[in-house]
Amino acid sequence: MNSCLRDDIDYQDFFVKARSSLKKYGYFIAEKLLKEKSYKTARVNAINFFKKEIVTERKLPNALRGDVAAGMENTFGFSRNKSWYIYRYCDFKWNRSNPELENIIKISNELSRIRNFLVGNKKTYGEFIEENNYITYTSLSLYPSNGGFLKKHRDLEPSQKNPSIIHCKFELTHKGQDYEKGGLCIIDKNGKELNISEIAKPRDVIFFDGAQYHQIKNIESSNLGRIAVFDIPTYVTNSSRECIYAGDGYSFPKKFLTKLITNISYEPKKVIKKILDKVP
């Protein structure tokens, strides 16, 4: 299988530098890690995707951030509130990928494996649902040109047991080229605020510790805005893994009740979801 990453990388040296930078500063920028062709294809595909989806002006569900249910459909959503202003497509490995975005998904999956090596996990960790419910999935986000943002936060309260959570992402539009103001900002381990979008260049991959405070500052542009791909590490909900099912040998009452519960639960979920999508 052809890789989307450069062929001439000395990974032993790469991991030494990445671990050192993450430990000292809380971030590491892998310069020109992506092949030029892969990057250019991903950029064109992402821009075309958002242009096509936004102009339709159809009602979108809320953008996904948080609870993920095992087996849920890929989602494309929009949110504008006090926490963020964003369009986001999420692609889960248990679904067939959007053919328009296959190259982007492929890059994201390769970077997930790089991160696994970086933090000492097995190569395919998160590609399936692990015993602890851990997964990874691809998000493709557009922070619109008229003020797209994500408020300052951190994804983990550091502790002795869980001191860090390493993220990897790459940008497909760039500050100074596609938008004028805003971008990804982090507070490094020395307490210094850095605008990573001013530092990272096309084809670079950004690794950073999600336990450090970070945000997307308001995007201002005459173009679409800031587009980035983020391979997200998370956990599916416990409830989505608890399945009630019927089997041969069940008594008629037990089989009837089991199927009744399983099928009835689907419709209320659909109704509740529609109501929640209308709530600010």
Side-chain angles (χ1 to χ4, degrees), residues 211-229:
Q212 302 298 122
Y213 281 103
H214 55 282
Q215 65 180 311
I216 306 296
K217 289 194 172 181
N218 288 36
I219 302 298
E220 293 185 21
S221 170
S222 56
N223 297 312
L224 267 179
R226 178 183 181 269
I227 299 176
V229 178

Side-chain angles (χ1 to χ4, degrees), residues 7-251:
D7 298 318
D8 60 342
I9 301 167
D10 180 346
Y11 279 108
Q12 185 173 354
D13 180 64
F14 173 91
F15 289 128
V16 168
K17 289 179 178 177
R19 289 175 184 136
S20 175
S21 183
L22 284 164
K23 183 178 180 179
K24 187 175 181 179
Y25 301 110
Y27 74 94
F28 173 68
I29 298 176
E31 297 180 356
K32 290 186 167 42
L33 183 59
L34 304 182
K35 286 181 178 177
E36 185 171 5
K37 182 179 179 181
S38 295
Y39 161 78
K40 287 183 175 180
T41 301
R43 174 179 161 89
V44 169
N45 290 346
I47 290 173
N48 288 343
F49 172 80
F50 283 116
K51 282 183 176 179
K52 183 186 75 172
E53 292 296 332
I54 292 172
V55 297
T56 59
E57 296 185 352
R58 60 189 172 92
K59 174 65 177 175
L60 295 173
N62 292 323
L64 175 66
R65 187 180 178 205
D67 292 343
V68 173
M72 68 182 291
E73 294 179 337
N74 296 337
T75 67
F76 180 58
F78 168 78
S79 290
R80 187 173 190 175
N81 51 45
K82 294 180 180 179
S83 296
W84 63 347
Y85 174 21
I86 190 173
Y87 289 90
R88 172 172 279 185
Y89 172 80
C90 297
D91 188 282
F92 301 100
K93 292 177 175 65
W94 50 68
N95 294 324
R96 193 176 298 280
S97 295
N98 184 327
E100 300 173 64
L101 302 175
E102 282 183 351
N103 185 62
I104 291 172
I105 308 303
K106 182 181 177 183
I107 296 173
S108 177
N109 291 343
E110 285 197 55
L111 293 178
S112 183
R113 292 186 172 190
I114 295 293
R115 176 180 52 204
N116 281 337
F117 282 120
L118 186 59
V119 301
N121 289 329
K122 63 184 180 183
K123 182 179 180 180
T124 59
Y125 190 64
E127 293 184 12
F128 306 95
I129 303 175
E130 304 295 339
E131 288 186 6
N132 63 354
N133 287 359
Y134 177 86
I135 62 162
T136 61
Y137 69 92
T138 300
S139 72
L140 173 65
S141 299
L142 166 64
Y143 296 88
S145 58
N146 58 335
F149 78 99
L150 172 63
K151 76 175 184 178
K152 183 185 286 188
H153 68 288
R154 55 183 176 181
D155 303 316
L156 175 74
E157 186 73 32
S159 65
Q160 188 172 358
K161 185 179 178 181
N162 295 301
S164 65
I165 177 170
I166 303 304
H167 294 316
C168 58
K169 64 170 59 185
F170 59 99
E171 299 180 320
L172 291 172
T173 58
H174 305 277
K175 189 168 185 179
Q177 175 183 330
D178 301 290
Y179 60 94
E180 291 73 50
K181 294 183 179 181
L184 170 64
C185 295
I186 70 166
I187 306 297
D188 73 9
K189 292 194 173 183
N190 298 313
K192 181 181 179 181
E193 183 177 273
L194 299 168
N195 190 316
I196 299 297
S197 295
E198 291 179 351
I199 303 171
K201 307 299 180 186
R203 296 172 55 198
D204 290 355
V205 175
I206 303 160
F207 295 85
F208 73 97
D209 187 350
Q212 302 298 122
Y213 281 103
H214 55 282
Q215 65 180 311
I216 306 296
K217 289 194 172 181
N218 288 36
I219 302 298
E220 293 185 21
S221 170
S222 56
N223 297 312
L224 267 179
R226 178 183 181 269
I227 299 176
V229 178
F230 183 10
D231 190 83
I232 297 181
T234 190
Y235 297 86
V236 297
T237 58
N238 288 326
S239 60
S240 68
R241 295 280 276 165
E242 191 62 48
C243 181
I244 299 174
Y245 56 90
D248 285 346
Y250 278 21
S251 65

